[in-house]
Amino acid sequence: MPVNYYIFLSVALFCIGIAGVLTRRNAIVVFMCIELMLNAVNLLLVAFSKMHHLAGLALDPGSTAGTEAQLFVFFIMVVAAAEVTVGLAIIVMMYRNIHSVDINFLNRLKH
Amino acid sequence: MSTTEILFWFLSALAILSALMMVTSRNPVHSVLWLILVFFAISGHYILMNAQFLAIVNMIVYAGAIMVLFLFVIMLMNMNADTEPQKNKWMKMAGAVASGSLMLVLVAALRDTELRSKGLEGAEGSIGLISQLGKVLFTDYVVAFELSSVLFLSAMVGAVLIGKKN
């Protein structure tokens, strides 16, 4: 499949994630939708990495073009894991204080 | 249609349908399970594009660790479809229209991109293998690697600090 199909697939997944963020009120589900958006971007990065690699291979058979993109995806996963830890800790703390994960009550985070 | 094309369409349909089910299902536990299915489909795409290391990391880190964390938190709070807060109908419709408009704009903008590249599936090259990635990771990107370990440490300390009872 050419890279266009991957672009459209990523756009579709990203927009589904945005729809989830906009339509759900459960903070955890909103957080999961953000993970989905991150994954859509990762998929696109891997697709472009492969495209770049194929273009590099056409010029030089021993080319390693495209490695950086895959490492970038790896670092995105690392940062996402750290982000999930802190985010879920905040949600658990919020649940302990106001006994709800409804984001409409999140404006009370200050007290 | 070749095998890779059939696999591509199958995995894409699986990913999009599971993502839609995740957004629309009322029970948060079901949402987590659908999201795990999305991650498996994306891992399948990585394997198709010869990025084996990322496929395995995606399965272990995302579908394994992160989603289990979500599942634990959801079960800790004892959430189910009855306790799920719902936005009203018009807000939902507005959200769907907004994201649909964004998708329309992006697709319209990217529709005329060149189709010059050939299929991305296939086993050309070895950049997805762990030996190649590890070599680059521990030479060119070793500073970023060490910084990410500091990030993990601070995230761990932060999670414990936020999570502990005061």
Side-chain angles (χ1 to χ4, degrees):
Chain A
M1 290 288 138
V3 73
N4 300 43
Y5 291 80
Y6 284 99
I7 295 176
F8 294 140
L9 175 63
S10 295
V11 164
L13 286 177
F14 192 84
C15 290
I16 291 172
I18 288 180
V21 170
L22 292 177
T23 55
R24 298 299 294 258
R25 268 173 62 189
N26 187 333
I28 295 181
V29 179
V30 171
F31 208 33
M32 275 158 49
C33 291
I34 293 173
E35 294 300 312
L36 178 66
M37 285 151 71
L38 275 172
N39 258 278
V41 174
N42 280 352
L43 178 67
L44 196 57
L45 272 173
V46 173
F48 279 131
S49 149
K50 180 74 188 220
M51 187 184 88
H52 187 50
H53 185 58
L54 287 178
L57 276 183
L59 298 175
D60 168 24
S63 162
T64 58
T67 317
E68 290 83 3
Q70 302 213 354
L71 281 175
F72 200 62
V73 171
F74 180 67
F75 281 118
I76 290 176
M77 286 179 183
V78 167
V79 173
E83 170 227 329
V84 164
T85 329
V86 178
L88 281 178
I90 290 175
I91 290 177
V92 169
M93 184 198 68
M94 188 181 102
Y95 183 76
R96 231 174 19 225
N97 287 340
I98 62 177
H99 297 287
S100 166
V101 287
D102 190 340
I103 53 168
N104 285 14
F105 296 127
L106 250 183
N107 53 7
R108 298 187 203 152
L109 196 64
K110 57 188 175 189
H111 23 110
Chain B
M1 279 212 297
S2 63
T3 319
T4 50
E5 284 182 20
I6 295 171
L7 274 173
F8 173 85
W9 288 114
F10 171 72
L11 289 171
S12 305
L14 183 69
I16 290 180
L17 283 180
S18 309
L20 282 174
M21 286 302 292
M22 177 208 124
V23 172
T24 52
S25 66
R26 286 174 64 93
N27 193 334
V29 178
H30 293 172
S31 287
V32 172
L33 297 178
W34 284 116
L35 189 56
I36 291 176
L37 209 56
V38 178
F39 288 159
F40 271 106
I42 290 178
S43 285
H45 275 299
Y46 289 168
I47 291 175
L48 271 186
M49 286 186 282
N50 208 22
Q52 296 94 339
F53 173 66
L54 285 179
I56 297 298
V57 168
N58 197 45
M59 265 187 227
I60 293 175
V61 174
Y62 265 112
I66 292 182
M67 295 330 284
V68 167
L69 208 62
F70 273 104
L71 213 53
F72 271 156
V73 171
I74 286 176
M75 289 180 170
L76 188 79
M77 297 175 183
N78 197 15
M79 287 179 198
N80 49 44
D82 302 329
T83 60
E84 179 73 5
Q86 291 288 330
K87 276 192 174 159
N88 68 39
K89 199 175 65 183
W90 296 107
M91 289 297 286
K92 279 184 182 175
M93 210 176 283
V97 167
S99 64
S101 311
L102 177 68
M103 185 164 146
L104 194 72
V105 169
L106 284 176
V107 168
L110 297 167
R111 197 166 52 99
D112 294 329
T113 46
E114 281 190 340
L115 274 165
R116 195 179 50 185
S117 71
K118 58 188 175 83
L120 297 183
E121 294 86 3
E124 301 95 347
S126 60
I127 54 164
L129 296 180
I130 192 164
S131 58
Q132 174 64 30
L133 284 176
K135 220 176 284 172
V136 181
L137 182 63
F138 289 114
T139 52
D140 295 349
Y141 293 93
V142 68
V143 180
F145 181 76
E146 295 297 336
L147 275 179
S148 67
S149 69
V150 177
L151 174 76
F152 262 126
L153 186 69
S154 57
M156 200 169 72
V157 172
V160 171
L161 265 183
I162 293 170
K164 85 174 178 10
K165 284 200 172 80
N166 42 5

